[in-house]
Amino acid sequence: MTSTFDSVNVAFSKQSVHYDTDDSQNTILKEWRQQVYDHVYEFLKPGQRLLELNAGTGLDALYFVQSDNTVLATDLSDGMIREIEKKIQLHSLTSKLSCQQVSYDRLETITDQKFDYVFSNFGGLNCIDDLSKVTKHLPALLNDGAYVTWVIMPRISLWEMAGALKGNGKHALRRFQKNGVMAHLEGEYFSTFYHSLSDIKKSFDSSFLFIRSEGLGVLSPPPHRDDLTKKRTGLYSLLRNIDAIVRNLFPFNHTGDHLIVTFQYHK
Ligand SMILES: C[S@@+](CC[C@H](N)C(=O)[O-])C[C@H]1O[C@@H](n2cnc3c(N)ncnc32)[C@H](O)[C@@H]1O
């Protein structure tokens, strides 16, 4: 494990203890999770087996097992893994949900298991500079026809770029920095890397077919501006409605606070 991932582990372990409370109080995050689930359920069938990368506290894993899927939830962070283990005990889920502490660039440590779906939500994959360090492990883990859906922060966020109009030009263009951007979380610093749709596609070899992408938070505000859902309800709803119309269309399906991207694997 690199020292960068050590800081990631410490930061997210600190965050893990209040993660679910913060998540449940944020309207934008709730709507975003629903948009991600709507996308995934176009491809995920009941009874299928998911591998979740950077699963956090297991909120999504818990959701998927409720629709008759089994999940191996993985994460790097000690604290996040503890939270998943608590959920497994609390909801008596040992036959449907399991977890393993592993960095997504070390997936060769998952052995003797095949999956129908690989899922990663909310930018966990933005902690790595090169996604091919993850994709190279996938063929050994996947059944023929398996899907991969990743929710990743791309380079172009119109919301952040609009910040340039307000004079915050540096912030508006920060996602374009080649060597990543220093993130600050819970008093820890680590690098974050933004991946364009084209870079994401390049990280998958020819056994993966690109299916589609959609923008998440195209024109509407990101979760740290959840205050706008109450203070500017009309504007917020308008922007979410515009998002719903444009998010699957070019060029908006290359942009957003996050992108939802799906590929299909064939042997
Ligand atoms: C923003 S949280 C998202 C968690 C979860 N997917 C969700 O939607 O709530 C990012 C997660 O990525 C995990 N992560 C970061 N780098 C990782 C790595 N190299 N391998 C596995 N997980 C990692 C963190 O520990 C953290 O749980």
Side-chain angles (χ1 to χ4, degrees):
M1 206 178 285
T2 67
S3 57
T4 310
F5 285 156
D6 287 345
S7 334
V8 170
N9 183 359
V10 175
F12 282 106
S13 292
K14 288 184 188 171
Q15 197 188 36
S16 66
V17 289
H18 56 86
Y19 194 89
D20 288 0
T21 309
D22 296 350
D23 187 276
S24 67
Q25 292 170 353
N26 192 300
T27 305
I28 296 177
L29 275 178
K30 246 181 250 162
E31 292 184 4
W32 280 18
R33 282 199 198 275
Q34 192 54 56
Q35 185 182 330
V36 170
Y37 296 151
D38 291 346
H39 181 113
V40 166
Y41 280 109
E42 285 178 37
F43 311 104
L44 179 67
K45 305 282 172 300
Q48 290 191 318
R49 181 154 174 72
L50 274 97
L51 169 62
E52 185 174 0
L53 311 180
N54 54 265
T57 61
L59 288 169
D60 296 326
L62 192 61
Y63 188 87
F64 292 128
V65 296
Q66 281 159 7
S67 59
D68 203 25
N69 296 105
T70 52
V71 181
L72 173 62
T74 63
D75 201 280
L76 170 87
S77 140
D78 304 323
M80 293 295 188
I81 290 291
R82 271 195 298 274
E83 293 301 316
I84 301 172
E85 283 169 346
K86 278 192 216 162
K87 286 189 178 66
I88 295 173
Q89 295 312 318
L90 183 70
H91 301 278
S92 308
L93 286 171
T94 38
S95 61
K96 305 197 88 185
L97 176 57
S98 49
C99 70
Q100 183 172 331
Q101 185 169 17
V102 58
S103 176
Y104 43 52
D105 62 342
R106 298 295 316 280
L107 295 177
E108 75 279 7
T109 58
I110 301 174
T111 50
D112 302 325
Q113 297 183 66
K114 292 276 187 187
F115 299 89
D116 307 298
Y117 218 110
V118 186
F119 177 68
S120 161
N121 206 359
F122 287 171
L125 286 164
N126 290 92
C127 293
I128 198 156
D129 56 346
D130 177 358
L131 291 170
S132 64
K133 292 176 185 169
V134 183
T135 56
K136 69 178 183 187
H137 296 292
L138 298 183
L141 290 165
L142 296 181
N143 290 320
D144 190 32
Y147 287 95
V148 177
T149 296
W150 286 353
V151 184
I152 296 182
M153 292 184 279
R155 291 189 175 232
I156 301 176
S157 160
L158 297 176
W159 177 271
E160 277 187 20
M161 288 178 154
L165 301 173
K166 289 187 164 178
N168 191 359
K170 194 168 164 234
H171 187 70
L173 297 174
R174 69 193 178 103
R175 293 184 180 215
F176 286 89
Q177 286 179 41
K178 274 223 154 62
N179 298 323
V181 175
M182 202 47 79
H184 183 209
L185 180 70
E186 306 276 351
E188 302 293 324
Y189 290 87
F190 54 89
S191 296
T192 305
F193 305 89
Y194 294 88
H195 305 294
S196 66
L197 181 58
S198 140
D199 287 344
I200 298 170
K201 285 181 180 173
K202 277 186 211 145
S203 73
F204 285 89
D205 72 25
S206 58
S207 55
F208 291 87
L209 178 70
F210 169 68
I211 303 292
R212 75 177 187 87
S213 66
E214 67 180 84
L216 181 59
V218 177
L219 297 172
S220 63
H224 72 269
R225 293 309 316 272
D226 199 52
D227 57 310
L228 295 175
T229 63
K230 281 125 207 148
K231 285 191 207 147
R232 305 291 302 273
T233 314
L235 176 65
Y236 175 71
S237 303
L238 176 69
L239 293 174
R240 275 301 282 169
N241 288 338
I242 297 173
D243 272 13
I245 296 165
V246 302
R247 66 192 180 211
N248 288 301
L249 306 175
F250 180 82
F252 302 103
N253 61 353
H254 287 53
T255 74
D257 189 75
H258 286 66
L259 269 188
I260 310 173
V261 193
T262 293
F263 294 82
Q264 188 174 27
Y265 170 68
H266 285 295
K267 281 186 183 170

